[in-house]
Amino acid sequence: HMTNLAESMEADLKVHQKPSPVIVRDALGIFLSILFWSNHRPVQLDNLTEQIKTLEMKPLNLEERLEYVLKRGNTFLGFRQLNELVLEQRKLIAKR
């Protein structure tokens, strides 16, 4: 599902349109699900920053990068950052 969302977001950005907020929201939701469940924990959005600090397996500088994505997820750089976070988390899962 994440691949389909990423392709849709990339197609919008190629024609200089911002991706739909719904698509960005869904992609963020999938990333957060991957992040928390790969740490054997349910997704916890209350105090998200504090919850993320307690995770063992996470991409480098996740807090700052995720904050950027949350503020600018519908921009090209926000999309790229989110895509990289997903790829990095997948690599961490594979290493484990």
Side-chain angles (χ1 to χ4, degrees), residues 32-44 48 51:
L32 291 172
S33 295
I34 293 168
L35 178 67
F36 278 90
W37 285 110
S38 64
N39 280 278
H40 307 287
R41 295 192 25 209
V43 178
Q44 299 173 337
L48 181 60
Q51 296 296 332

Side-chain angles (χ1 to χ4, degrees), residues 31 59 81-92:
F31 170 69
Q81 191 64 250
L82 177 58
N83 209 28
E84 286 301 312
L85 287 170
V86 171
L87 290 174
E88 288 177 37
Q89 190 66 20
R90 286 181 178 167
K91 287 178 186 177
L92 291 170

Side-chain angles (χ1 to χ4, degrees), residues 18-56:
K18 289 188 175 188
S20 160
V22 173
I23 292 174
V24 175
R25 181 201 65 209
D26 289 352
L28 275 166
I30 290 171
F31 170 69
L32 291 172
S33 295
I34 293 168
L35 178 67
F36 278 90
W37 285 110
S38 64
N39 280 278
H40 307 287
R41 295 192 25 209
V43 178
Q44 299 173 337
L45 298 178
D46 292 334
N47 289 324
L48 181 60
T49 304
E50 294 302 315
Q51 296 296 332
I52 287 174
K53 288 179 184 178
T54 66
L55 299 176
E56 291 180 29

